Amino acid sequence: MTQMASLAGAGLAGLQQLLAPSAEGTDTPVSEAPVDDQLRLLAVLTPILRTLLDTIAGSVTTSPVRATLLALLTEDVARLIGRAQIVAAGKIEDSDAHTLKEAPLAELHRIHANLTGFIEGTASLPADQCNGQGTKMLFRDATEMVKDQLHLSFSQSKQRLATRDLLLPRAGFNGVPVAPRFPRLSTVFNNGSADPAQVAQAAQRLLALQPGIDAQTCPEEAAELIEGQVAESLLTRNAIGTGNLLKSISARLDAQALERGESRMQPHLGLSFKSRQARGYIWEMCTDLAGHERLSKLADQLANPRSGFGKAKNAPSTPDTETNDGGQPPLPGFPDDGPAPAAPTIPAWAIDPDVPEDQRPRAGFTDVGREFSMPEPAPELVALPGESTAEARQRAKARALLQFLFDSMRYGADGDGKDAPAMPLKPNVDLIVTISWDSLVGKLNDPGITARNNLVSAGYVRRLACTANIIPAVLGSKSEPLDLGRKQRFFSRAQRRAMLLRDKGCINPGCTMAAHRCEANHIKPWYLGGETNLSNGGLLCPVCHASFHAGHFRIEVVDAIPYVLQSVARDPEQRLRRNWVFHPEAESLA
């Protein structure tokens, strides 16, 4: 027996002695004690746990280390309880508890309402009295009893019992042991290493994918591989990452599903007036994936305080690194060609004298050669009465999008000139879809993926290609761009487009920032000899970009693909990972 198990056994034995100090045979293990005594221990653990958690929460005030450990331990308790809820629901079904008569059930509720007598041993549990076959039951089945007695919805009750069948071993109707449907997920569920609710949801979605798995050439191998990928995702990713993985697997198993969904959208597309209300005239827009992608990208760029999009052309704004033709704003005073002038040095008192001259930092810290200046402040956000900051920000974003749509109507329909000073600056709302050549020409039917990580059917991409400008990019077997980019100080527009195709967003695992909101970063800094090519570049959002330069994580390039090695605190396994939000099927590297 391990030391942890010994401590747990000793603690339970001590509680057992406190509850029955005069009982004989106190050395008997709790597992061999009568079940009623075990239930008394469980009943007393609830107030103990509540008191302990409240006491610790009151004591942890200024220590971030202890506050973090409290959160981790509390999450462990929550996961343990989540699993116990599934186990308990299964025991109701196994014991045919729904056949209980009204008298013992009413007595149970009386005892549960006041557990003191039961804990102290002065109140005993009622005897099992059940209705016989053919008589009127209080509950139709276990699902109805769990719903009624635990105050759940019907779907919650049904889901708990279904989860038990998928993830826990049980006895069949003839007493023969039945193994869990998904053994790999069962291991994750039972050891408490992932949220039980997420594991249960993943098991349900895997079950829904079974027809597609059965249609594969080797269903058993496919099922084992997919279950292993989902189990690994539950251990290393959050719900978004696991959801993206399952969505990708579903599209791969049933290539026609996206096509059917897109066909169902077509009759409903349009913009129509609904009603006039006190808050304004209400119009309803229904669009397809292409419209959703463009509107979402447009809304993000309009809400970006660093961008000049949507503002008058003569309005001051901070240079936007995302849309400049060169991929980065030009440095003040730098000529278009020829050697760059030397950047100003920082004061001698700010330099370690042991640092060689060519390795000393320049003015502006990470902006080589550029004088430091504060960006233009974002316009003040005014919240309405009763409105939160997040709601005010969303309202401002929606209003900016509406205004830009009307400005675009003026530009396209009213004949305003291209250079009219009152017109706002135009954003970059290109729809970028990555799809294999074989799927584009009809040899395969694998789906494409948009810049915002939405899957799109091959048929839709083919129809879109009839009316859209196509920029071909040759990708290698591991999605590394092969024929884009050139050597220069700043990444070109073509190179940034190639990074978008490869990275699809911020490369830091777990970050959800879309590619058009990211910055092209030199993995090995340019001022330290790093080249401006794709194998030395990666997309990082502004926050992760600052974290990278602060040394919070490292980037390593493997086969022209950037992988991130996070700190030990973020990733105890210390494995190279791609961002699983945008690359759900990418495997980690040792």
Side-chain angles (χ1 to χ4, degrees):
M1 181 179 293
T2 64
Q3 184 179 5
M4 184 62 69
S6 298
L7 287 173
L12 289 175
L15 283 176
Q16 191 177 24
Q17 175 64 15
L18 288 174
L19 294 179
S22 60
E24 297 180 0
T26 54
D27 292 336
T28 303
V30 173
S31 59
E32 299 178 10
V35 66
D36 286 12
D37 290 344
Q38 296 176 21
L39 286 170
R40 288 189 178 92
L41 288 176
L42 181 59
V44 78
L45 285 177
T46 301
I48 289 176
L49 187 60
R50 181 186 297 113
T51 302
L52 183 61
L53 289 175
D54 290 345
T55 302
I56 296 174
S59 302
V60 176
T61 54
T62 59
S63 173
V65 169
R66 289 160 182 81
T68 303
L69 181 58
L70 172 62
L72 292 172
L73 293 175
T74 304
E75 188 66 19
D76 291 340
V77 173
R79 291 176 177 179
L80 175 65
I81 298 302
R83 174 185 176 276
Q85 289 175 323
I86 305 300
V87 173
K91 293 304 177 183
I92 285 183
E93 185 174 47
D94 292 342
S95 65
D96 290 332
H98 68 282
T99 64
L100 272 175
K101 290 185 176 181
E102 185 172 356
L105 190 57
E107 180 66 11
L108 271 179
H109 281 292
R110 187 189 66 79
I111 292 174
H112 182 254
N114 184 10
L115 287 171
T116 303
F118 176 64
I119 293 173
E120 294 175 348
T122 59
S124 300
L125 297 180
D128 293 320
Q129 301 177 35
C130 300
N131 291 298
Q133 293 292 335
T135 59
K136 176 64 176 177
M137 307 285 183
L138 291 176
F139 309 101
R140 183 175 62 253
D141 53 21
T143 302
E144 185 176 350
M145 182 177 185
V146 171
K147 175 183 75 71
D148 182 85
Q149 296 298 293
L150 304 183
H151 307 293
L152 304 176
S153 67
F154 177 79
S155 61
Q156 288 175 316
S157 173
K158 187 175 181 180
Q159 184 179 25
R160 286 193 184 183
L161 292 172
T163 300
R164 190 282 299 262
D165 294 342
L166 295 175
L167 299 176
L168 293 176
R170 56 190 175 88
F173 70 95
N174 56 358
V176 177
V178 178
R181 175 67 179 271
F182 301 112
R184 296 284 296 276
L185 296 188
S186 176
T187 300
V188 176
F189 181 79
N190 284 302
N191 62 21
S193 51
D195 183 359
Q198 290 187 25
V199 183
Q201 185 179 25
Q204 293 286 350
R205 294 185 65 176
L206 269 184
L207 187 65
L209 294 177
Q210 196 60 48
I213 295 175
D214 292 338
Q216 303 303 303
T217 306
C218 299
E220 295 80 7
E221 293 182 6
E224 185 177 357
L225 175 62
I226 291 173
E227 185 183 351
Q229 291 177 334
V230 174
E232 175 68 19
S233 177
L234 289 166
L235 293 173
T236 58
R237 308 174 183 179
N238 61 16
I240 295 176
T242 303
N244 285 345
L245 174 62
L246 287 164
K247 181 172 65 174
S248 175
I249 292 172
S250 176
R252 190 173 72 246
L253 292 175
D254 185 2
Q256 301 302 321
L258 287 171
E259 192 93 32
R260 291 194 299 269
E262 291 161 356
S263 298
R264 286 194 291 267
M265 290 182 187
Q266 294 304 315
H268 307 286
L269 303 184
L271 179 64
S272 58
F273 174 70
K274 287 299 180 183
S275 64
R276 179 187 182 278
Q277 300 180 10
R279 58 193 176 101
Y281 293 86
I282 309 301
W283 287 71
E284 181 180 76
M285 175 185 288
C286 182
T287 182
D288 59 4
L289 178 62
H292 168 71
E293 287 279 327
R294 290 191 171 99
L295 287 172
S296 298
K297 189 173 182 179
L298 175 61
D300 285 344
Q301 294 191 34
L302 289 169
N304 185 358
R306 301 175 58 194
S307 170
F309 299 142
K311 303 180 179 66
K313 293 182 180 180
N314 56 0
S317 64
T318 304
D320 182 38
T321 62
E322 300 171 13
T323 57
N324 188 279
D325 289 339
Q328 300 275 4
L331 294 178
F334 274 41
D336 293 336
D337 50 13
T345 59
I346 62 175
W349 55 264
I351 303 175
D352 185 344
D354 295 330
V355 176
E357 178 70 26
D358 59 347
Q359 297 182 20
R360 295 181 180 181
R362 304 292 180 179
F365 188 52
T366 57
D367 264 337
V368 180
R370 181 181 300 174
E371 296 290 347
F372 178 77
S373 61
M374 292 296 292
E376 290 288 331
E380 183 178 359
L381 191 67
V382 180
L384 299 177
E387 187 178 49
S388 67
T389 303
E391 292 170 338
R393 187 176 294 111
Q394 186 64 29
R395 177 173 53 81
K397 181 177 179 180
R399 182 159 188 164
L401 178 59
L402 178 66
Q403 183 60 48
F404 191 88
L405 289 177
F406 282 123
D407 288 339
S408 300
M409 291 170 60
R410 289 175 49 209
Y411 182 89
D414 296 347
D416 281 348
K418 181 183 297 185
D419 299 323
M423 290 303 299
L425 295 177
K426 295 190 294 183
N428 176 15
V429 289
D430 293 336
L431 174 62
I432 299 179
V433 180
T434 304
I435 192 170
S436 70
W437 173 256
D438 287 340
S439 291
L440 184 63
V441 299
K443 293 181 180 180
L444 296 176
N445 210 31
D446 294 337
I449 187 168
T450 69
R452 300 181 67 86
N453 212 38
N454 288 310
L455 295 175
V456 56
S457 70
Y460 186 88
V461 177
R462 295 181 197 118
R463 293 192 296 272
L464 189 67
C466 295
T467 58
N469 293 324
I470 298 178
I471 302 176
V474 180
L475 304 181
S477 60
K478 296 185 178 180
S479 299
E480 69 273 17
L482 299 179
D483 68 347
L484 292 176
R486 62 189 182 88
K487 190 174 180 180
Q488 59 181 22
R489 166 62 182 91
F490 296 114
F491 290 104
S492 68
R493 195 178 189 90
Q495 287 173 315
R496 286 181 54 84
R497 184 178 290 114
M499 290 184 197
L500 185 150
L501 291 171
R502 180 194 65 192
D503 300 338
K504 296 184 173 64
C506 179
I507 64 175
N508 195 16
C511 182
T512 59
M513 189 66 72
H516 65 276
R517 298 293 300 272
C518 293
E519 300 166 351
N521 168 64
H522 286 78
I523 298 173
K524 181 180 180 181
W526 178 75
Y527 61 85
L528 293 180
E531 296 182 350
T532 306
N533 54 37
L534 294 177
S535 61
N536 189 46
L539 296 181
L540 289 173
C541 72
V543 174
C544 294
H545 198 167
S547 296
F548 172 69
H549 284 290
H552 294 164
F553 61 89
R554 288 173 26 215
I555 302 174
E556 296 188 17
V557 179
V558 180
D559 295 333
I561 301 295
Y563 286 78
V564 171
L565 180 65
Q566 295 179 321
S567 64
V568 177
R570 295 289 301 275
D571 184 9
E573 296 182 355
Q574 288 295 278
R575 298 178 67 87
L576 295 173
R577 304 183 190 275
R578 298 193 76 183
N579 191 340
W580 34 259
V581 174
F582 303 107
H583 305 277
E585 297 186 20
E587 297 181 357
S588 59
L589 304 179

